[in-house]
Amino acid sequence: MRLLRPSMEYKEQVLEYKKGFMENGDDMAGASYLQNYDVYEEWIKFVLDNEKENTKHTEVTANVFLAIREEDNSLVGMINLRHSLNEYLYNYGGHIGYSVRKIERRKGYATEMLKITLDECRKLEMKKVLITCDSDNIASAKTIKSCGGIFENEVHEDEGLVQRYWIEL
């Protein structure tokens, strides 16, 4: 698997990814507001601008990566690495958000994506990383724990519970 920055090469696959999540009513975590964009090129501009400290559109600098399966050059997931935490991210969102295409789940891709992204965190000289998931997302909790996540607590968000895990780097 490779983690690549979004590009025009993957436009159709990203749009199919978005469509699948929208049709299933799934949470498109790690896709950096893709669901809000009707024009792919505008989304790419948003994502790439958000990588730069002086042009970012959100409160924190972040990188979005497409998780591409090397065997067939297929998009299996997306992952977002936030370089710092604001109050919301500290409480609910964490440094990393990710999602995997429904037909690609339970194949170890989320774990592989997270491990590669943790290497990116080390390159940024981050010392520890917060990762969260909904309390009913057992698969995500297993992924986080398998990558060294230590459960800290659960916090209420809207009508649900969010589990917070820290990974020491």
Side-chain angles (χ1 to χ4, degrees):
M1 172 177 301
R2 297 176 293 156
L3 295 186
L4 303 175
R5 293 168 66 210
S7 68
M8 291 306 295
E9 176 182 356
Y10 294 98
K11 177 179 179 175
E12 293 307 315
Q13 289 192 57
V14 170
L15 293 175
E16 287 176 28
Y17 188 87
K18 175 185 173 182
K19 181 180 176 190
F21 274 81
M22 301 299 274
E23 287 175 352
N24 293 325
D26 288 340
D27 181 20
M28 207 178 326
S32 196
Y33 303 103
L34 176 61
Q35 69 276 9
N36 297 340
Y37 285 86
D38 293 326
V39 178
Y40 181 74
E41 292 78 2
E42 290 176 8
W43 176 73
I44 284 186
K45 180 179 179 346
F46 169 81
V47 167
L48 297 181
D49 282 351
N50 216 47
E51 293 180 353
K52 303 171 194 155
E53 187 64 34
N54 60 342
T55 59
K56 66 180 184 260
H57 298 288
T58 61
E59 292 182 27
V60 299
T61 304
N63 300 96
V64 173
F65 298 102
L66 307 179
I68 305 296
R69 184 174 44 223
E70 292 186 86
E71 296 82 49
D72 60 1
N73 202 38
S74 291
L75 173 65
V76 297
M78 296 180 76
I79 194 159
N80 187 341
L81 166 59
R82 302 163 195 119
H83 298 200
S84 60
L85 300 173
N86 59 22
E87 185 177 346
Y88 175 81
L89 293 173
Y90 180 80
N91 289 303
Y92 310 110
H95 285 101
I96 298 172
Y98 56 86
S99 57
V100 174
R101 190 184 290 251
K102 192 169 190 164
I103 61 170
E104 301 294 355
R105 294 179 188 159
R106 297 180 172 255
K107 298 178 182 179
Y109 291 125
T111 300
E112 192 173 351
M113 289 164 54
L114 184 51
K115 285 180 179 177
I116 295 169
T117 303
L118 291 172
D119 286 338
E120 293 295 320
C121 293
R122 288 180 188 94
K123 290 176 189 174
L124 292 170
E125 299 181 357
M126 297 170 78
K127 301 298 179 208
K128 66 181 191 174
V129 176
L130 175 66
I131 305 177
T132 66
C133 66
D134 291 341
S135 63
D136 61 353
N137 191 339
I138 296 165
S140 191
K142 284 182 180 179
T143 295
I144 296 165
K145 290 175 189 175
S146 75
C147 291
I150 304 298
F151 177 77
E152 181 176 66
N153 63 353
E154 287 183 330
V155 293
H156 290 275
E157 181 189 26
D158 299 326
E159 297 167 16
L161 279 176
V162 173
Q163 294 181 339
R164 300 173 71 247
Y165 296 85
W166 288 96
I167 298 177
E168 298 280 339
L169 300 175

